[in-house]
Amino acid sequence: MKAEITPQEYEAFKTFLQDACGILLGDNKQYLVKSRLRRILEENNLNSLGELLDRLKRVGRSGLRELVIDAMTTNETLWFRDNHPFRILQDKLLPEFAERNSLQPLRIWSAACSTGQEPYSVGMVVDEFRRNRPGKLRDVKIIATDISKSVLEVARRGEYEMIAIGRGLSPERQQQFFSPSANGGWQIKPQIKAMVEFKELNLLERYMLGKFDIIMCRNVLIYFSADLKKDILTRLHGALNPGGYLILGASESLNGLPDLYEMVQCHPGIIYRKR
């Protein structure tokens, strides 16, 4: 990117990004835009953000549009992030659903799953619960979604470099749930991988995923406007089974919607039950 981003270009790009995927860029984030889009501009012989926006207007829903969204939404993640949700899953939610004795599979949705650490972490907790309480938990299906094609490709492979493995994963779980791969990385074991199905999904669009008992939508709503956040939370409510639970990120809250969700204090941690 040879030219500096003008205020007009930045405002136009903010509008594009919010319309495309809901992300609301704050003020003075030009450095982030430049760093994440530099390679795309170079590879497409574009000299400025304005030229990129003009190209996007001409080509519409194209591969270039997807590359831009991908670059702006890709974030690093880690295993068992924030810890509390996984302890709540292990100590409260899985025992509760195990006692319901339903013949239907327990369905868990990991929204904005990035490179797969969250849904695979959920799978590890499920596997540990089954080992400790054999025969108590029915079939479990984890659906993991993200808007980014590139992170989903990584997630589906289930193979990670050592630097990624070390972010939040204990040595004991590494040995339990991973095998060394031929190229020096670590491959998630088949019994965990088989639990998770990855799908491309934009949270702003209509969901065709069925109903869920637990939805984890963590550390993504903070990027949306208040109106979009309310809209997404309302649609997540519609995707929950009666008595299902919503788990948000540590810095996220409902900010209303008392008719839809009941707050459940877990000491530590808060989750939300569908009313």
Side-chain angles (χ1 to χ4, degrees), residues 10 117 140 191:
Y10 186 63
Q117 280 86 337
V140 176
Q191 76 267 23

Side-chain angles (χ1 to χ4, degrees), residues 11 27 30 33 38 56 80 110-111 120 129 140 142 149 154 169 186 200 208 218 259 267:
E11 288 302 317
D27 296 329
Q30 289 89 337
V33 174
R38 180 174 288 109
L56 289 169
F80 297 91
S110 170
Y120 286 141
F129 182 86
V140 176
I142 303 165
K149 287 184 172 69
V154 174
L169 191 69
W186 289 83
E200 183 181 347
M208 301 291 289
R218 305 169 60 233
D259 295 337
H267 308 290

